[in-house]
Amino acid sequence: MPENEIASKWNSHEVVGKPTNRVDGPLKVTGSAMYSSDYHFPGMLYAVPVFATIAEGTIQSMDTSVAEKMPGVKAVYHRGNIGKLFRVTPNKDMTMKTDELRPPFEDDTIRYYGQYVAVAVAETLEQANAAAEAVKVSYAAKAPNVSTNLSDAKMKVDHQRGDANAAFSAAEHKIDESYETPVFVHSAIELHATVAVYENGNFTLYETTQAISNHRNVMAQILGVEPENVKVISKFLGSGFGGKLWPWTHCALAAASARNLGRPVKLVISRKMAFHATGHRPVIQQRVKLAASKDGKLTALIHEHTNHMGMLDNYKENCGEATKYFYSCPNVLVSSGLTKRNVGSPTSMRGPGAVPGLWATESAMDELAIKLGIDPVQLRIVNEPTKDEGLDIPFASRHLIDCYKLGAEKFGWKDRNPEVGSMTKDGLVLGWGTAGAAWIAERLPATASVELRQDGTAKVACGTQDIGTGTYTILAQIVAEELQLPLQKVEVVLGDTSLPQGPLSGGSMVTGSLIPAVTQACSKLTDALLSAASSSPFSPYSGVDAKELKYSHGMIHRKEEPEQNGIAFDKFLQKCNFNNFVGSGTSAGTFGGGKPKESKHSYGAHFIEITWQPETARLRVNRVVTVIDAGRILNPKAGRNQVEGSIAMGIGMAMLEGARYEPTKGAPINSNFADYILPVNLDVPHLDVHFLERENTDLNSYGARGIGEIGLAGVASAIANAVYHATGKRIRQLPIRIEDLLT
Ligand code: MOS
């Protein structure tokens, strides 16, 4: 579509693009939104897992006799009595995926601290807790390996163009630095929970999941039943950040307990357990070598990255994802390595790969800018590519430099004095830093159905889920737009595997994936409606060619007559004795589909001011300007909220977070919110978020790309770069600690 046509189409939109309140807001603020652990059923029991207190070794013996005799206890399950639990067949499919590759209780070997060894089930939560504590387990422990030194990893080449090593050796201006990030834990407010109901061979699982279909398929395999015997419900999620993408071992414990006892079972893990066995971003070590000409043009870019895995997974953090296309450079080498540690399985965490990758490369670019005496924004301009040089294909839509330009203007970057410690205000040293962001723009396969009903309402149904990002609201907006109905007339039904299969909520792909399916469903629906209007015996337009008819704002009318002369669809349905009209639509996926014709990503730039008070060693993020290039923003309120949340997470990543494993027992020792420090409101200043809404309809007709994860990319580097500017200390190991700034 030519740009002016898209622009005029956008300007005519009535609902899409407006800062709409959350349609599910009232349910949430009144506490009536049903999260998984809110479900209660008659006769429901409570399950509490018992976890290993060693990280490497075997179970020697387990005594459950005391626990079993305690009041209210129905069972204590372990390897010997839980019944058969199967492995998920090896596959590369995101509709049948777990990170930990074996079911719970498969053998007596302990691979990480917190691995479940038993589960106590009782009439009340207190009784189950007491019973779990009374289970006595003795272990033959070995020394665990939880070392954060990953130099034992074997490296392999992921991407190569030109001769990066030769170009680097020959270069006059270069940097060669290493960057490290600790374990970051997703820390969603809502804890992982399963309420499992088993009746007549069928499981209904109320789950905290970002992927209901995957969850059903995986649980069917683990439980040894057919997928049609498993129904998964996830109506509301208190965030996931990747930690709820794939099922974890506790899910099977709840389901198997419900099956064995024939009663509903609720299992909510503790905050401590959420540090053990529900994923984390792994320890990552990266080395970045950059070489450039005197004017900053990159001549070599070498990016090595290594991450730990657990013993039972093969999780790779793909840190080089953005490295391949972010800058123009003839000689690029990306390599990666993996090594196993006695830790629970790592998993995707918001912006997997690109976020830690850009932390390293965007810090290195700042170091290069300083070395060459070039402004960091200018260095980006000099190295802006005209195509995706990694895949040798054109960019679909890339406006990174415009993000920098707008951000610099809003921030006042031209007033920056690059000299370290030179900028002060109110007795504080100011540091100004910038960094870029990128994230994939892809689609997953999706189906959706849209209905018009006798009561004058519409309904859209899709087996995806709203993980807190606003999917209910966005879908209501799209359907209201397409069917030209008021937003309040649209009901959105999600989070149930009996609905048409929708995408998992990951990779910031849901909105982009749903638009083609939902717009197609709406157009099929109105076609069916007009065709029925021309053919139904009781229709006022019976016998009129459907081509002469039109649907506008809920009215069926002749094309040449004004819509108010027509008949409202609800009146038409009533008159013709139809209960409803349904249209369904599908969209094909693009993600993982081989080499694309165009390189599709979103981009962004952050400008961050920190304040440093050396006398009291006080470091604060003071000001943030972020510009995001993610195409059309369907709902500026929900969109800004996503980016703001990401920036807050970036402040945590840069300055506060990091789980530490104690070396003798292998336990994550700061496994609580007093010791694993997350940013709170006082750590987060006003965030000035802007969107560059450049037209591009390659991903879908609305021109909308994902905005969940992009906001996190680059934040930590912009902060570290600002810290250097204020203090002269280059911090390459996150989180930045004040003690690092005092030495
Ligand atoms: Mo996201 S880490 O794909 O939930």
Side-chain angles (χ1 to χ4, degrees), residues 301-459:
L301 165 46
I302 299 171
H303 186 187
E304 297 163 6
H305 58 93
T306 307
N307 67 266
H308 80 204
M309 301 175 287
M311 296 293 171
L312 302 167
D313 62 280
N314 44 34
Y315 179 75
K316 174 178 172 178
E317 185 89 22
N318 188 19
C319 298
E321 194 267 331
T323 312
K324 293 171 245 172
Y325 64 82
F326 207 52
Y327 292 116
S328 175
C329 182
N331 303 299
V332 177
L333 179 61
V334 179
S335 46
S336 63
L338 300 167
T339 178
K340 288 191 177 286
R341 292 291 179 268
N342 289 108
V343 296
S345 299
T347 192
S348 292
M349 180 167 164
R350 210 168 195 183
V355 162
L358 284 163
W359 139 251
T361 54
E362 287 297 275
S363 295
M365 284 296 276
D366 198 66
E367 300 204 50
L368 181 67
I370 290 162
K371 191 149 202 176
L372 294 169
I374 295 177
D375 182 88
V377 175
Q378 180 59 24
L379 187 64
R380 269 59 176 208
I381 293 171
V382 168
N383 289 295
E384 175 66 6
T386 53
K387 64 171 181 185
D388 180 327
E389 295 179 6
L391 290 172
D392 195 23
I393 51 174
F395 289 116
S397 181
R398 169 166 166 138
H399 306 283
L400 176 61
I401 298 305
D402 288 350
C403 292
Y404 273 109
K405 286 184 172 162
L406 181 63
E409 181 198 316
K410 300 277 175 197
F411 189 82
W413 186 256
K414 67 174 179 5
D415 297 328
R416 180 177 185 261
N417 179 345
E419 195 188 323
V420 166
S422 64
M423 296 178 70
T424 57
K425 190 184 171 191
D426 304 331
L428 303 170
V429 184
L430 301 183
W432 286 9
T434 186
W439 186 247
I440 56 164
E442 299 278 359
R443 288 195 319 253
L444 294 166
T447 55
S449 73
V450 180
E451 221 175 278
L452 282 170
R453 304 186 283 205
Q454 268 209 1
D455 63 359
T457 63
K459 171 184 152 184

Side-chain angles (χ1 to χ4, degrees), residues 186 210 240-245 347-352 439 467 504-509 709:
H186 304 79
Q210 297 174 236
F241 309 124
K244 293 171 184 167
L245 274 169
T347 192
S348 292
M349 180 167 164
R350 210 168 195 183
W439 186 247
I467 63 172
L504 63 87
S505 299
S508 305
M509 290 187 276
E709 292 162 288

Side-chain angles (χ1 to χ4, degrees), residues 40 44-48 120-126 128 264-267:
H40 286 271
M44 192 173 76
L45 302 169
Y46 293 80
V48 172
V121 190
E123 297 284 354
T124 70
L125 177 61
E126 292 75 12
V265 170
K266 178 186 289 195
L267 191 161

